[in-house]
Amino acid sequence: MEENMSRYKEIKAAILGAGTVGGGVYKLIGRRQDELPDKIQAKLTVSRVLVKNLNKKREGIPSELLTDDWESIRKDPDIRIVIELMGGIEPARTYILQALEAGKNVVTANKDLLAEHGKELMDAAERSGCDLYFEAAVGGGIPIIRPLKECLAGNEITEVMGIVNGTTNYILTKMTKEGMDFGEALGQAQKLGFAEADPTADVEGLDAGRKMAILASLAFHSRVTFQDVEVKGITKITARDIQYADAFGYVLKLLGVARSEDGQIEAGVSPVMIPKTHPLANVNDSFNAVFVHGDAVDDAMFQGRGAGEFPTASAVVGDVIAVARNMQYDCCGRIGCSCYKNLPMKPAGESRHKYFLRLIVEDRTGILAGVAGVLGNNGVSINQVIQKPAVDGVAELVVITDKVETRHLHDALVIFGEMSMIREVASVIRVYTQK
Amino acid sequence: MEENMSRYKEIKAAILGAGTVGGGVYKLIGRRQDELPDKIQAKLTVSRVLVKNLNKKREGIPSELLTDDWESIRKDPDIRIVIELMGGIEPARTYILQALEAGKNVVTANKDLLAEHGKELMDAAERSGCDLYFEAAVGGGIPIIRPLKECLAGNEITEVMGIVNGTTNYILTKMTKEGMDFGEALGQAQKLGFAEADPTADVEGLDAGRKMAILASLAFHSRVTFQDVEVKGITKITARDIQYADAFGYVLKLLGVARSEDGQIEAGVSPVMIPKTHPLANVNDSFNAVFVHGDAVDDAMFQGRGAGEFPTASAVVGDVIAVARNMQYDCCGRIGCSCYKNLPMKPAGESRHKYFLRLIVEDRTGILAGVAGVLGNNGVSINQVIQKPAVDGVAELVVITDKVETRHLHDALVIFGEMSMIREVASVIRVYTQK
């Protein structure tokens, strides 16, 4: 073994962060040690692992590799690949910029950072002629970044949609299949480790929003940041909404939808009712999926594990192998930033969607006429209505609209808020329609 | 425009074949003309299109580009990329080998050729230091070749399965959803252009078998040729089999299954009953999908349009863009043949599967005992049995076995053939089980 290996040159990498993903990447590189030379014509060695706390034991990582000194990695000319798996904005941002400046290639899974500072990082990579790969930032183990940047590069992509947060997909699946309410399903997700103690980033859609910023930037060749993505979470979704969705032939998912139309981009994350026949409707539990529509490829979908130690490590190690192959041919930095356009975001309120409205109303005559009148006056046309028999003087009125400009719906909702006959606008949920 | 373009170097390509896919590729490159320089830092021009018949009009392709003289392409040093879309073994094989020898990079969609002569072509590409890309050979527009070779390169892949023939998936979907029999569904597929006048390659599983040879070679890093793939088509599938599948909770698909276990590979294409909950069960009509299981990524699936002018062109143009990017950095041939292992195929008969058997039997006592006895004596254990009431003295007996070695089942089937009480072994269909 040793002898066979000796004819190969050695490529040294450092891992920043020894949490779940960092540990997984270290282990997976170890597991593939014998085969890597066949893949990259080199030996790949992790020579340093950066941690905050040197005293904490890291299962599976030899303690002599651990360091808390970034400078020792930055200044080591033998370390040619930096694998950033710390997460968060700082110090990850500074370390990546410094690594690139030092001529090191970078692989990262850091969606927060890319969604906010993507341009700065890509520019730095271009200046240095280094690779900056980030397959693991969206969809965990699912190959989607490179398929978008490379395999589908012949397309004009007009839509990219995704179930890109496993926690919320798990919660909604439980609510749908077992009739749980949100709190119960969240509790179970936390118990099983699918949701964190503070689930805000997941259930409020922030995590999905960051991933959609990255996907939209790649799909439309124009920089979309997290701030550009309209985000709405699932905390107000009730079992009742899900029952209605089912009755109308829909499944409720937390869906990221980004579209490019007439030279403008819209990108959002929100609960969406999608037809049961849509491929995304069957993506359940903690699985993720990304759906792409291009003018040549038509519809394509990629699904798999969106998180977890080894699925994420799969994406990271795939990137490391790509970088190593580039290094061997001296062609790092070959495929850099693909945002060669500068498209504006569509102004808020101008996007056109179909909506499901659930209103709690008083049980008296004229309600339907009143509601229909307000909608009509605001240019919101009605597609379907269901009025349920009243219980204790309170009735439920469900309206599915046609496709309307969101601002018109908002105008109508403001008026609903002032009408005494309407006790509560219980739900306003987007319904999927094709572009 | 002209002026902006003039600062870019020009990369010239030739297309071999001006059929549906060749025409689609020409049109798609034209459609992306303004954007290609942003993607590849060069102008991409198709300077020649090779056809057999110069007199045939080719819609959308200027007649001055047409030639029937391969030598004029081979000897043109300005043509750096050859896009082979003629199909078939010869002369495609010779042209590709000559193109590589002349230092031209090759993009091809030719599954027949790759499944039989893949090694010869990859070796030639390696000798010449050229790229040989073939994303369109499997799954049409679906990115799967590069995800397997690159994004998932950190995995040990143990299973790759696919619905990789759109014609048969369309036929089986019609049989399942509308209760059609095979002949009727085939007729409709032919009428709509989903099936050819001679449907043999599709309905007998040959097309799928070639694609599985390519997928298995990539997944397991060991050359699998078409001859290594056990192939069985769908011509004997009846509406009745599909009804039973449904009753047992399965969907019937023509499935390619390739597995690597204990250092041996098995690869086959056959009708398979898969659980309705499996992601492949929801891939309908002419859609294709490839499902991959790796030790790190766990399960991942890729679905989309498996054929057609523009979906296939999407994959071809994606490859051409990749080659052009490599040319700009002088790193062609970087990712060559990945068959660095030499694993044997599992001997026929030793693979272990679960089976659905439908027997037409005489209506007399002792039948079940007789059938069960033969199965038991041959080491085939029974999982489920259904005996239907007899009509006109003939009854139907359905057996689902446990996982058995295929040769044991074959032994039992030989004995069934000699038993007078068994009128006919109407169906023997594999049932999907996890590895």
Side-chain angles (χ1 to χ4, degrees):
Chain A
M1 190 80 264
E2 282 294 309
E3 242 166 312
N4 281 336
M5 287 287 187
S6 64
R7 69 189 171 98
Y8 291 110
K9 142 178 172 192
E10 185 180 21
I11 294 176
K12 285 189 179 169
I15 298 176
L16 316 188
T20 305
V21 178
V25 168
Y26 183 83
K27 286 179 225 164
L28 188 57
I29 290 175
R31 223 193 255 175
R32 288 293 101 78
Q33 208 45 234
D34 291 353
E35 271 188 56
L36 279 168
D38 289 318
K39 293 178 194 278
I40 60 174
Q41 277 69 58
K43 253 188 86 171
L44 179 70
T45 313
V46 175
S47 64
R48 275 277 173 267
V49 178
L50 183 72
V51 294
K52 258 190 265 181
N53 180 355
L54 274 176
N55 296 319
K56 199 166 152 187
K57 177 122 184 75
R58 315 285 169 166
E59 197 221 325
I61 305 178
S63 57
E64 64 269 26
L65 297 189
L66 301 179
T67 176
D68 59 0
D69 177 20
W70 160 244
E71 287 301 316
S72 73
I73 294 172
R74 178 160 89 103
K75 291 185 180 152
D76 184 341
D78 288 343
I79 294 176
R80 301 288 313 278
I81 305 177
V82 167
I83 307 169
E84 186 278 305
L85 303 167
M86 299 183 293
I89 303 294
E90 285 294 354
R93 175 178 153 273
T94 299
Y95 292 176
I96 290 179
L97 291 172
Q98 290 180 343
L100 291 169
E101 207 177 319
K104 300 181 198 301
N105 300 292
V106 172
V107 172
T108 175
N110 195 327
K111 56 192 174 290
D112 301 35
L113 185 54
L114 288 161
E116 296 203 23
H117 302 278
K119 185 169 166 22
E120 182 185 24
L121 300 179
M122 296 306 294
D123 286 349
E126 195 177 328
R127 274 198 307 277
S128 68
C130 290
D131 280 333
L132 173 61
Y133 278 57
F134 49 93
E135 185 62 72
V138 180
I142 308 169
I144 179 62
I145 304 295
R146 264 192 286 164
L148 275 176
K149 285 187 94 153
E150 305 182 33
C151 309
L152 298 174
N155 286 265
E156 183 184 351
I157 292 171
T158 48
E159 183 175 65
V160 57
M161 299 199 291
I163 294 172
V164 287
N165 180 273
T167 306
T168 47
N169 203 36
Y170 177 86
I171 291 171
L172 290 173
T173 301
K174 283 285 156 191
M175 291 175 73
T176 302
K177 305 239 156 157
E178 297 174 29
M180 289 185 190
D181 67 17
F182 173 75
E184 193 187 349
L186 171 62
Q188 199 177 98
Q190 286 172 320
K191 221 169 111 185
L192 293 169
F194 290 144
E196 296 182 47
D198 175 2
T200 311
D202 291 323
V203 299
E204 296 293 358
L206 311 179
D207 174 78
R210 292 182 184 116
K211 291 166 178 167
M212 289 310 298
I214 296 170
L215 287 179
S217 300
L218 293 170
F220 310 134
H221 305 296
S222 180
R223 181 64 55 192
V224 175
T225 67
F226 176 53
Q227 285 71 25
D228 296 323
V229 183
E230 270 192 70
V231 168
K232 190 174 160 184
I234 62 164
T235 53
K236 295 199 178 90
I237 297 295
T238 64
R240 193 135 185 88
D241 296 318
I242 287 176
Q243 284 158 16
Y244 273 113
D246 183 61
F248 283 112
Y250 296 111
V251 176
L252 193 82
K253 295 288 184 188
L254 182 70
L255 202 65
V257 182
R259 287 173 171 172
S260 165
E261 204 170 20
D262 306 327
Q264 293 185 322
I265 296 174
E266 57 176 283
V269 169
S270 66
V272 178
M273 292 187 180
I274 52 178
K276 287 177 185 173
T277 52
H278 194 284
L280 284 167
N282 295 306
V283 177
N284 289 320
D285 302 313
S286 64
F287 276 95
N288 281 20
V290 177
F291 182 96
V292 176
H293 183 87
D295 68 338
V297 75
D298 193 57
D299 292 339
M301 192 171 93
F302 307 76
Q303 75 180 87
R305 298 269 170 209
E309 179 177 10
F310 284 106
T312 310
S314 166
V316 171
V317 175
D319 278 353
V320 171
I321 289 172
V323 170
R325 285 169 170 164
N326 289 342
M327 285 171 59
Q328 298 286 70
Y329 277 74
D330 201 17
C331 61
C332 294
R334 195 172 80 266
I335 303 176
C337 184
S338 55
C339 291
Y340 49 78
K341 295 183 189 176
N342 193 2
L343 303 176
M345 299 302 294
K346 183 171 270 195
E350 286 187 20
S351 53
R352 289 168 51 79
H353 305 303
K354 186 168 177 162
Y355 284 95
F356 163 94
L357 310 177
R358 187 163 61 86
L359 310 177
I360 309 301
V361 297
E362 288 184 3
D363 179 31
R364 54 165 150 117
T365 54
I367 293 275
L368 184 54
V371 166
V374 170
L375 291 174
N377 289 340
N378 286 281
V380 177
S381 63
I382 295 175
N383 186 283
Q384 269 178 290
V385 174
I386 294 180
Q387 184 159 9
K388 292 270 168 169
V391 178
D392 299 331
V394 177
E396 196 174 52
L397 184 65
V398 167
V399 175
I400 293 190
T401 72
D402 286 326
K403 242 173 151 174
V404 297
E405 276 196 31
T406 306
R407 63 194 168 111
H408 292 159
L409 180 74
H410 285 170
D411 291 345
L413 292 176
V414 168
I415 298 174
F416 284 167
E418 291 160 0
M419 288 164 74
S420 63
M421 62 171 80
I422 297 178
R423 294 276 182 88
E424 189 195 348
V425 178
S427 312
V428 179
I429 300 173
R430 183 168 161 186
V431 176
Y432 178 76
T433 50
Q434 283 200 296
K435 269 190 57 171
Chain B
M1 191 79 263
E2 283 293 312
E3 240 166 316
N4 280 337
M5 286 287 186
S6 66
R7 70 189 170 96
Y8 290 110
K9 144 178 171 191
E10 186 180 21
I11 294 176
K12 286 189 180 169
I15 298 176
L16 315 188
T20 306
V21 178
V25 168
Y26 183 83
K27 287 178 226 165
L28 188 57
I29 290 175
R31 221 192 257 175
R32 289 293 102 80
Q33 209 44 235
D34 291 352
E35 269 188 58
L36 279 168
D38 288 319
K39 292 178 194 280
I40 61 175
Q41 277 70 57
K43 253 186 85 170
L44 179 70
T45 312
V46 175
S47 63
R48 276 276 174 267
V49 178
L50 183 73
V51 294
K52 259 190 262 182
N53 180 355
L54 273 177
N55 297 318
K56 198 166 152 187
K57 176 121 185 77
R58 315 283 170 166
E59 197 221 327
I61 304 178
S63 58
E64 64 269 24
L65 296 189
L66 301 180
T67 176
D68 59 0
D69 176 20
W70 160 244
E71 288 301 315
S72 73
I73 294 173
R74 179 160 88 103
K75 290 183 180 153
D76 184 342
D78 288 344
I79 294 176
R80 300 289 312 281
I81 306 177
V82 167
I83 306 169
E84 187 277 305
L85 304 167
M86 302 183 293
I89 303 295
E90 284 295 351
R93 174 179 155 274
T94 300
Y95 292 176
I96 290 179
L97 291 171
Q98 290 180 342
L100 291 168
E101 209 178 315
K104 300 181 198 304
N105 300 292
V106 173
V107 172
T108 176
N110 195 324
K111 56 191 173 291
D112 301 36
L113 185 55
L114 288 161
E116 296 203 22
H117 301 279
K119 185 172 169 15
E120 183 185 23
L121 301 180
M122 295 306 295
D123 286 350
E126 195 177 329
R127 274 198 308 276
S128 68
C130 290
D131 280 332
L132 173 60
Y133 278 59
F134 51 92
E135 185 62 72
V138 180
I142 309 168
I144 179 64
I145 304 294
R146 262 187 293 162
L148 275 175
K149 284 187 95 152
E150 304 182 33
C151 308
L152 298 175
N155 286 265
E156 182 184 353
I157 292 172
T158 48
E159 183 175 63
V160 56
M161 299 200 291
I163 295 173
V164 288
N165 179 273
T167 307
T168 47
N169 203 36
Y170 176 86
I171 291 171
L172 290 173
T173 301
K174 282 286 155 190
M175 292 175 73
T176 303
K177 303 238 156 156
E178 298 173 29
M180 289 184 189
D181 68 18
F182 173 74
E184 192 186 351
L186 171 61
Q188 198 176 99
Q190 286 172 321
K191 221 169 109 183
L192 292 170
F194 290 144
E196 296 181 46
D198 175 2
T200 312
D202 291 322
V203 299
E204 295 294 358
L206 311 178
D207 174 78
R210 292 182 183 115
K211 291 167 178 167
M212 290 310 298
I214 297 170
L215 288 178
S217 299
L218 293 170
F220 310 135
H221 305 295
S222 181
R223 181 64 55 191
V224 176
T225 67
F226 176 53
Q227 285 72 24
D228 296 324
V229 183
E230 270 192 72
V231 167
K232 191 173 160 184
I234 62 164
T235 54
K236 295 199 179 94
I237 297 296
T238 65
R240 194 135 183 85
D241 296 320
I242 287 176
Q243 285 158 15
Y244 273 114
D246 183 60
F248 283 113
Y250 296 111
V251 176
L252 193 82
K253 295 286 184 191
L254 182 70
L255 201 66
V257 182
R259 288 174 172 172
S260 166
E261 202 171 22
D262 306 326
Q264 293 185 322
I265 296 174
E266 56 176 285
V269 169
S270 67
V272 178
M273 292 187 180
I274 51 177
K276 287 177 187 172
T277 51
H278 195 284
L280 285 166
N282 294 307
V283 177
N284 289 320
D285 302 313
S286 64
F287 276 95
N288 281 19
V290 177
F291 182 96
V292 176
H293 183 88
D295 67 339
V297 75
D298 195 57
D299 292 339
M301 192 171 91
F302 307 76
Q303 73 180 88
R305 299 268 170 209
E309 179 177 9
F310 284 106
T312 311
S314 165
V316 171
V317 175
D319 278 354
V320 172
I321 289 172
V323 170
R325 284 169 171 164
N326 289 341
M327 284 170 61
Q328 298 286 70
Y329 277 75
D330 200 18
C331 61
C332 294
R334 196 173 80 265
I335 303 176
C337 183
S338 56
C339 291
Y340 49 78
K341 296 184 188 175
N342 192 3
L343 303 176
M345 299 302 294
K346 182 171 272 194
E350 285 187 18
S351 54
R352 290 168 52 79
H353 306 304
K354 186 167 176 162
Y355 285 95
F356 163 95
L357 310 177
R358 186 163 63 85
L359 310 176
I360 310 300
V361 297
E362 289 183 1
D363 179 32
R364 55 166 151 115
T365 54
I367 293 275
L368 183 55
V371 166
V374 170
L375 291 173
N377 289 340
N378 285 282
V380 177
S381 63
I382 295 175
N383 187 283
Q384 268 179 290
V385 174
I386 294 182
Q387 184 159 9
K388 292 269 166 170
V391 179
D392 298 329
V394 176
E396 197 174 54
L397 184 66
V398 166
V399 176
I400 293 189
T401 72
D402 285 326
K403 241 174 154 173
V404 297
E405 276 195 32
T406 307
R407 63 194 169 111
H408 292 159
L409 180 73
H410 285 168
D411 291 345
L413 292 176
V414 169
I415 298 173
F416 284 166
E418 293 160 359
M419 288 164 74
S420 63
M421 63 170 81
I422 298 179
R423 295 274 183 89
E424 189 197 349
V425 179
S427 312
V428 180
I429 299 173
R430 183 168 160 185
V431 177
Y432 178 78
T433 50
Q434 284 199 295
K435 270 190 57 171

